[in-house]
Amino acid sequence: AKALSTAEWDAAEGLARVLRGKGNLSALGLFRSGQQWLRVEEVMCLVDEGSLLLLRDGQPLSVHAARVMLLGPQPGTAFEGAAAAKRELSISTFAALHRSGYVCRPPAPLADDDAYRRAGSPTLFAVYERRGFSRRAAEAGAPPTFLVACFHASEPMPPTDALSALARAVAPAALRCACAQQGEALFFDVVSGCG
């Protein structure tokens, strides 16, 4: 049996605290007071691929139990209804990019918040090539390879002018859209126009 990384889910933080890291987890998550924490998308991707054992209250969770805990109906929480569906889209997008050799990080705040809202306030990831990725450089403002906006494949996309405005707002990085559904994601580039 291969050695797994282990993390404990902290519901109050909405993050998983890494207890034992195996392999290359250094590009993932965030660090607070010398402790590594993983975001929901990272946790589900690693649990799904079999490289992370997730614990809750010290007890290991199956893949199904982890998915239900993180994404299942939780009335009165931030994860009910549309929020849970949006989280599933971001997990599908994150996993597809992770499997393709990219590192996904939360993006820097956008200067044009209106463009973001007009595009439907999608989940955004700043995406970097895994080869040569530097956490310090990314945190210091190194430009990502591209940004990706997550949308549900069965719903209408925002109008082209809204996507073009979002592409201009994330420039000089390129904007790609991910249309995701049932664990799959299709990506396409957005061009903001020719002046």
Side-chain angles (χ1 to χ4, degrees):
K2 69 177 183 176
L4 299 176
S5 295
T6 306
E8 175 86 23
W9 180 251
D10 185 323
E13 293 288 332
L15 301 166
R17 184 172 49 90
V18 175
L19 304 175
R20 179 181 62 207
K22 299 286 183 183
N24 188 10
L25 286 184
S26 64
L28 300 176
L30 55 116
F31 285 84
R32 291 185 189 155
S33 303
Q35 180 65 57
Q36 186 177 13
W37 296 81
L38 299 174
R39 297 173 183 88
V40 171
E41 294 86 358
E42 295 162 328
V43 170
M44 279 312 311
C45 179
L46 296 172
V47 167
D48 280 343
E49 72 182 18
S51 60
L52 178 71
L53 176 63
L54 183 62
L55 306 175
R56 182 178 186 185
D57 300 325
Q59 298 299 310
L61 297 174
S62 67
V63 173
H64 176 73
R67 186 167 288 284
V68 168
M69 179 185 75
L70 297 174
L71 299 171
Q74 300 172 25
T77 71
F79 297 115
E80 74 179 331
K86 188 172 182 177
R87 180 57 57 95
E88 181 65 43
L89 294 178
S90 66
I91 289 170
S92 297
T93 303
F94 178 93
L97 290 164
H98 178 78
R99 287 190 304 266
S100 297
Y102 291 103
V103 174
C104 299
R105 314 277 306 153
L110 298 179
D112 186 356
D113 213 29
D114 184 55
Y116 174 70
R117 281 191 300 280
R118 286 190 7 237
S121 303
T123 298
L124 295 175
F125 290 115
V127 183
Y128 301 83
E129 295 278 347
R130 188 174 299 146
R131 183 182 307 256
F133 174 76
S134 165
R135 173 188 290 279
R136 282 198 180 114
E139 289 171 352
T145 306
F146 58 91
L147 267 81
V148 68
C150 308
F151 298 98
H152 198 282
S154 68
E155 295 176 2
M157 290 295 294
T160 55
D161 64 326
L163 289 177
S164 292
L166 184 58
R168 287 188 298 276
V170 303
L175 177 66
R176 291 187 181 162
C177 291
C179 291
Q181 186 175 14
Q182 298 179 346
E184 298 293 327
L186 170 69
F187 296 89
F188 63 89
D189 292 324
V190 177
V191 179
S192 63
C194 301

